[in-house]
Amino acid sequence: MRLITHNMLSCNIKGVANGFPLKIEAESVIEKEVDFNPDFLRHMFAKIEWKALVEAARSLGYSELPEDSPAAAAEDESLLKKLHHALLELHLEEGALVCPETGRRFPVTRGIPNMLLHEDEV
Amino acid sequence: MWFLCVFYHRLLDFRKPEVEALAELFGEDESLLQWRLPEHHHNDTPFHFVHLSSEEIARNIAKRSILVKGMYELWGQGSSYEELKDSIQTFPDSRKLPFLAPDSTFRISVETFGKALTFDEQRERINSLTYIPFQGKVNLKKPDHKFFIIEMDESEENNGLQPILQRRIFFGREVGFADRKLLPTFQLKSRTYLGPTAMDAEMAFLMANQAKATSGKLVYDPFVGTGSILVSAARFGAMTMGADIDIRVVRDGRGPDCNVWSNFKQYGLPMPVALLRMDNNLPPWRSGLKEIFDAIICDPPYGVRAGGRKSGGRKILRGTVDPYTVPEDKRSDHIPSTGAYSLVECVHDLLHLAARMLVMKGRLVFFFPVLRDENGSEVKFPEHPCFKLVAVSEQILSSRYSRVLLTMVKVEPYSEEVEEAARLMHLEFRENHLKWLEEGNIHSSVFKPSDSCQVHTDTKSFKDPKPKYRGKYV
């Protein structure tokens, strides 16, 4: 699971109001090189919850992203490169996503987050 | 500029929408694109004229398309070779001469539709073109300019077309042609990981074209299965993302080298940005997330070959709100039961997802099943206030039912008011048009035994039930 996915997901157990951002429990993190596509990143930059991304990247051991959402990321190539690395190249291979409100663990196995709810959660 | 657009004679309903989608992708002005039929031709003919603003756009469309056999600059046409000659001679020299220059190379080929010509007959036709002042050298392998004589006779019985009154001959210069080599490369029989409803390569590419998948775009398939649709989108350079409710399919596959990832690896395509397991009925998107996908392409489970599932199985089965509680010690390995997910709900959730998550002008491309009704009653498709239906292409699967590829474009931003309007629209649709699609019905209609069990005493009339004219039934 890449952090772009993490940035889109929340815990949707019935009644949970603050299911975002999910905390990351990392057991195994890998890096895979991906082609750099600035257009795609510019589009994504506008949609990203920056704080959640910074925190998530840190929990995978990458702390190069600036704390505050940069105003002019679209023109800043070096920042786009960092964004690229954080969003697309870091993979949570094994671990879990934990709901900040209820502590429910959504397991991540072989890179695939399992977001399906139990019968008593829907 | 008008071009002669010659199609492959298959998936007839899909041909024009593909060209239209690609025209938009390559920046064609929507209002400029026009279609015209050759004289005495029927809409199902493989020959169409299309108006586009430049040769470059025509070339790009042809190159990327699956169903365009070729785009040609038409130099002349007629119902006989005499008429063709007159027509070519009146085509302005200024348009012809640049392609006839002494330092260029060329080739003339003869193509036919619904008939075959011997080599001698072909040569005879090529030699009759002496009135065109070719100055260049012939090069059969790699010519600068390719010319085509395309001939079809008045339809005889079995050329797969409706009777067309007149013979037609076209002469033109090739501008571009489809790269169908993609299809043998991506054919399903050489795909490592397959499921029962994997989308065949040709259709998957057509869907990706309808969705205008291209570099820098994010394409999502909420019913990803073995990834057969996303593979085609990735081939065209798009970033892909897929979800499925069945964890065995997305996570495990059939082993480490036979899963969704390996299907991408097999063709050297970039891996999906994400694969996740989730329920489309209860998607875990964070609140506030919207307009993130450029296209959503999918083949929803409509219960003929595979049925949909959603969360909350036991609850639905028992019909009570009384909670089923998973014991604390079993939670980590618990496999939640799922309940049936009817097509009505599924389509509703899909439109809702698309309305919220597609960028403006983003495309939703999906299959919708249609029972083939002899009475010819009008089929009504699902609607949503955010979407405009731009293409409807039917693929007939059996005498009972077909599936229709719907292409919708997001034209209105999503808001809460829109959501309320959508809800009412959905209720109305559900009430009036979807009763037969409710759980189980479609499956039983498709598979119920034929009721034409009357004894056929007249063997003659029983002999030939298939019409000669295949039309879009191909």
Side-chain angles (χ1 to χ4, degrees):
Chain A
M1 187 203 70
R2 308 181 211 214
L3 294 188
I4 186 174
T5 320
H6 171 264
N7 209 275
M8 294 165 74
L9 297 177
S10 72
C11 168
N12 64 336
I13 292 177
K14 204 172 183 182
V16 168
N18 300 306
F20 180 85
L22 296 157
K23 285 201 203 77
I24 297 180
E25 280 181 18
E27 280 164 36
S28 149
V29 177
I30 51 173
E31 287 184 26
K32 287 184 204 160
E33 209 174 304
V34 174
D35 288 340
F36 180 66
N37 187 332
D39 287 341
F40 177 74
L41 291 165
R42 278 184 207 113
H43 171 49
M44 283 304 138
F45 175 70
K47 307 287 171 189
I48 288 290
E49 274 286 335
W50 187 263
K51 281 227 151 62
L53 177 68
V54 174
E55 213 168 293
R58 203 175 288 144
S59 61
L60 298 191
Y62 182 73
S63 42
E64 302 286 305
L65 293 175
E67 201 66 39
D68 295 310
S69 175
E75 284 87 55
D76 186 345
E77 171 108 357
S78 79
L79 190 92
L80 277 185
K81 285 249 157 82
K82 285 177 188 165
L83 182 64
H84 171 74
H85 184 71
L87 275 184
L88 298 171
E89 295 189 321
L90 292 174
H91 291 252
L92 177 65
E93 196 64 7
E94 301 288 332
L97 303 175
V98 182
C99 170
E101 193 173 310
T102 61
R104 158 78 146 96
R105 292 177 84 249
F106 294 94
V108 178
T109 344
R110 267 170 263 167
I112 313 250
N114 182 351
M115 300 305 294
L116 204 65
L117 300 177
H118 296 323
E119 289 91 329
D120 50 1
E121 293 167 337
V122 296
Chain B
M1 291 171 93
W2 283 96
F3 296 91
L4 172 66
C5 178
V6 181
F7 289 110
Y8 285 97
H9 195 55
R10 47 185 294 104
L11 299 168
L12 307 192
D13 254 10
F14 292 74
R15 304 177 303 174
K16 283 188 187 174
E18 187 193 30
V19 169
E20 287 162 5
L22 293 178
E24 214 181 290
L25 174 64
F26 293 115
E28 180 60 284
D29 183 346
E30 212 181 312
S31 58
L32 275 175
L33 191 141
Q34 290 175 57
W35 294 98
R36 193 155 56 81
L37 279 172
E39 236 176 291
H40 303 300
H41 274 226
H42 174 269
N43 212 16
D44 285 347
T45 175
F47 306 104
H48 290 263
F49 294 115
V50 60
H51 186 266
L52 298 165
S53 56
S54 75
E55 192 169 314
E56 196 196 340
I57 287 183
R59 182 178 307 115
N60 286 335
I61 292 174
K63 220 158 114 190
R64 163 89 185 245
S65 86
I66 299 296
L67 295 172
V68 174
K69 197 170 187 181
M71 287 271 194
Y72 307 90
E73 177 189 53
L74 190 71
W75 285 23
Q77 57 169 321
S79 56
S80 67
Y81 276 86
E82 289 74 46
E83 266 185 49
L84 179 69
K85 180 178 174 182
D86 292 343
S87 169
I88 293 177
Q89 280 173 335
T90 51
F91 189 66
D93 277 348
S94 59
R95 302 272 298 274
K96 287 190 284 197
L97 293 177
F99 303 98
L100 303 171
D103 55 348
S104 68
T105 56
F106 71 99
R107 180 182 81 195
I108 303 171
S109 319
V110 182
E111 288 264 326
T112 54
F113 182 77
K115 66 187 279 190
L117 292 177
T118 64
F119 189 65
D120 283 341
E121 285 170 323
Q122 293 189 25
R123 201 167 44 197
E124 189 193 317
R125 280 160 173 79
I126 291 170
N127 288 338
S128 75
L129 297 174
T130 45
Y131 51 84
I132 303 175
F134 288 106
Q135 306 269 309
K137 279 207 179 98
V138 171
N139 180 336
L140 295 181
K141 283 209 171 126
K142 254 195 139 182
D144 301 332
H145 309 302
K146 295 179 197 161
F147 298 94
F148 283 83
I149 301 172
I150 306 169
E151 186 179 324
M152 68 167 299
D153 277 351
E154 44 256 62
S155 352
E156 284 169 28
E157 285 233 315
N158 211 3
N159 71 357
L161 271 186
Q162 274 202 342
I164 290 160
L165 299 175
Q166 264 184 16
R167 181 186 190 200
R168 205 87 207 141
I169 305 156
F170 303 97
F171 180 80
R173 178 175 62 83
E174 184 182 271
V175 168
F177 60 94
D179 176 17
R180 300 259 302 180
K181 283 199 199 85
L182 274 182
L183 301 183
T185 313
F186 283 85
Q187 63 182 341
L188 288 184
K189 65 180 177 188
S190 51
R191 185 92 39 100
T192 13
Y193 181 40
L194 281 178
T197 55
M199 186 59 64
D200 78 89
E202 183 178 30
M203 192 54 81
F205 282 122
L206 283 173
M207 291 169 89
N209 276 344
Q210 284 304 121
K212 305 202 298 179
T214 193
S215 173
K217 303 285 180 198
L218 183 58
V219 173
Y220 178 62
D221 180 353
F223 308 100
V224 67
T226 58
S228 49
I229 295 173
L230 291 186
V231 162
S232 68
R235 171 61 185 74
F236 291 140
M239 305 284 235
T240 57
M241 192 161 175
D244 206 292
I245 195 166
D246 191 340
I247 192 140
R248 292 165 306 172
V249 179
V250 283
R251 185 189 62 194
D252 309 336
R254 293 187 213 286
D257 297 311
C258 183
N259 49 41
V260 183
W261 307 111
S262 77
N263 279 349
F264 285 79
K265 207 164 129 198
Q266 183 181 354
Y267 304 112
L269 297 173
M271 296 291 163
V273 168
L275 287 177
L276 56 150
R277 181 203 200 187
M278 59 173 241
D279 182 353
N280 218 31
N281 188 237
L282 291 165
W285 307 120
R286 71 170 152 89
S287 63
L289 182 70
K290 59 175 192 176
E291 305 200 351
I292 195 153
F293 302 128
D294 296 284
I296 294 176
I297 322 179
C298 62
D299 183 20
Y302 37 72
V304 177
R305 298 186 62 190
R309 309 294 291 174
K310 67 170 182 179
S311 303
R314 275 169 232 234
K315 205 190 263 182
I316 297 167
L317 284 178
R318 285 184 181 170
T320 55
V321 198
D322 187 32
Y324 167 83
T325 327
V326 183
E328 233 19 82
D329 55 322
K330 299 216 169 99
R331 291 197 85 89
S332 64
D333 299 325
H334 179 67
I335 297 169
S337 59
T338 53
Y341 188 29
S342 77
L343 182 72
V344 188
E345 263 181 297
C346 175
V347 167
H348 169 262
D349 294 343
L350 180 62
L351 283 167
H352 179 79
L353 167 87
R356 179 178 152 195
M357 301 292 263
L358 279 180
V359 298
M360 282 302 286
K361 290 196 170 174
R363 289 184 161 217
L364 169 64
V365 179
F366 67 105
F367 268 115
F368 187 77
V370 171
L371 280 185
R372 295 183 60 208
D373 178 3
E374 284 95 45
N375 309 329
S377 61
E378 190 96 343
V379 184
K380 189 145 184 278
F381 299 113
E383 290 176 327
H384 192 284
C386 291
F387 288 96
K388 188 174 123 192
L389 183 65
V390 294
V392 176
S393 309
E394 183 182 19
Q395 184 188 25
I396 293 167
L397 296 174
S398 79
S399 58
R400 297 271 173 71
Y401 86 116
S402 41
R403 56 180 183 180
V404 176
L405 187 68
L406 300 178
T407 306
M408 297 182 173
V409 177
K410 183 165 164 186
V411 289
E412 286 291 332
Y414 175 81
S415 67
E416 265 166 36
E417 296 89 72
V418 161
E419 195 37 45
E420 178 57 19
R423 202 179 61 84
L424 297 175
M425 237 177 199
H426 170 70
L427 286 178
E428 193 266 343
F429 181 69
R430 179 178 188 143
E431 200 52 43
N432 299 325
H433 304 280
L434 261 176
K435 287 220 169 85
W436 63 272
L437 280 178
E438 285 291 354
E439 203 191 320
N441 284 3
I442 180 157
H443 187 277
S444 54
S445 320
V446 171
F447 292 111
K448 77 168 181 232
S450 163
D451 46 41
S452 60
C453 294
Q454 313 118 301
V455 186
H456 288 272
T457 41
D458 184 2
T459 45
K460 252 188 194 164
S461 68
F462 187 56
K463 221 175 176 179
D464 193 18
K466 274 189 189 161
K468 286 270 194 253
Y469 162 58
R470 302 205 306 274
K472 67 181 173 191
Y473 303 87
V474 285

